[in-house]
Amino acid sequence: AFKHTMRNVAEIGLHILCSLLQKFSLCEGETSVEFFKAYFLELMQHVFAVVTDTSHTASLTMHATILAFMFQLVEEDKILVPLFDPASVQVASNLNFVQQYVAQLIKQAFGHLTDAQVKVFVDGLFFLNKNNAGFKEHLRDFLVQIKEFTGDDTSDLYLEERESQLRLEQEKKREQLLLVPGIINPHDRPDEMQE
C-alpha cells in the first residue's frame, strides 16, 4: 500500500509498515529473526524506491521515520540474524553490510553521484537516525540533490510544511473573523460562542 500513488492510501501503508517494524523489533525469538532475515533488506529497498520516485507524494516525514527506525535497529544490533550470507560476503556485522548495501543501492540508482556524495549520505543515515528532524532534513537534502540533477521541481519536498503553514494561517484568519460579530454564520460558529 505504501507504493500506491494515491496519497491517503500510501500514508496508511506507511503507518502499517512502521507499526509492523516496531512490533517485530519487540518480538523475542524465532519470529522476529525470520521476519528480518526474509524482509528487512527488501522493505528498505522498497522504501528508498518510493521516497526517491517522483510520482509518489506521500509523507516524507513518515518515510524518514521508517528509514530512521530501520537504521537504528541495525546500528543498535537489534537484528539478531545476519542480513547477509556469511559464506559469500565478508563483513564484520549487519552494520557494515547495510552501509555497503545502501551505498551500492544508491550508486546503482543514481550513477551521477560521486562516491563522496554517497558516503556522506550513507553516513548521515546512521549518524542522524535518533534525530527524526535531522534525519528528515538529511533525506530531503539528498532528494533535492538528485532532483536538481534531473531538473525536476523540488517544491513537493516541502509540501507537508506548506500544508501545515496554510492550516495555521487559515485558523488565524478564522479566529480574526470570529472576533467580528455577524461575519461568520451563527451556525458555523463554535459552540462556546453561541448563546
Side-chain angles (χ1 to χ4, degrees):
F2 70 88
K3 286 183 155 189
H4 205 284
T5 54
M6 286 181 56
R7 189 173 178 185
N8 58 342
V9 175
E11 286 183 10
I12 290 169
L14 288 169
H15 284 284
I16 291 170
L17 176 60
C18 187
S19 176
L20 182 76
L21 288 170
Q22 289 170 345
K23 288 187 188 327
F24 271 107
S25 72
L26 298 174
C27 283
E28 301 272 333
E30 200 62 29
T31 306
S32 171
V33 168
E34 290 303 316
F35 173 79
F36 286 126
K37 186 175 183 177
Y39 300 110
F40 187 83
L41 293 176
E42 188 175 342
L43 286 171
M44 181 178 284
Q45 183 177 356
H46 286 292
V47 173
F48 269 120
V50 172
V51 80
T52 57
D53 186 350
T54 56
S55 66
H56 291 87
T57 60
S59 172
L60 179 62
T61 301
M62 203 62 210
H63 282 99
T65 301
I66 291 168
L67 286 171
F69 184 71
M70 292 178 86
F71 285 108
Q72 194 172 348
L73 288 175
V74 171
E75 185 180 41
E76 293 175 355
D77 210 21
K78 299 256 175 120
I79 299 175
L80 304 175
V81 62
L83 296 171
F84 54 94
D85 179 12
S88 63
V89 179
Q90 300 299 320
V91 292
S93 66
N94 279 339
L95 176 67
N96 293 344
F97 175 74
V98 171
Q99 286 174 328
Q100 292 174 10
Y101 177 81
V102 171
Q104 181 182 357
L105 191 69
I106 297 301
K107 193 67 178 161
Q108 285 175 350
F110 308 103
H112 64 277
L113 295 175
T114 66
D115 289 340
Q117 289 173 309
V118 172
K119 182 180 179 353
V120 167
F121 176 64
V122 172
D123 288 348
L125 295 173
F126 285 94
F127 296 148
L128 297 169
N129 62 29
K130 292 183 181 150
N131 173 358
N132 279 345
F135 190 93
K136 178 182 170 186
E137 283 303 311
H138 181 67
L139 186 58
R140 181 181 298 162
D141 288 345
F142 174 74
L143 294 174
V144 167
Q145 195 174 32
I146 61 175
K147 283 187 173 205
E148 282 178 343
F149 179 82
T150 59
D152 289 342
D153 182 22
T154 59
S155 62
D156 61 325
L157 297 175
Y158 297 92
L159 184 63
E160 290 175 37
E161 286 80 2
R162 275 201 319 267
E163 287 175 345
S164 176
Q165 184 180 13
L166 288 174
R167 277 192 299 273
L168 287 173
E169 292 296 325
Q170 183 179 15
E171 189 60 36
K172 284 181 190 177
K173 184 177 179 180
R174 181 164 171 73
E175 287 174 12
Q176 288 176 342
L177 292 175
L178 285 171
L179 295 174
V180 181
I183 289 185
I184 293 185
N185 186 338
H187 299 289
D188 292 336
R189 295 178 72 82
D191 289 340
E192 68 268 10
M193 301 296 281
Q194 294 179 359
E195 295 182 28

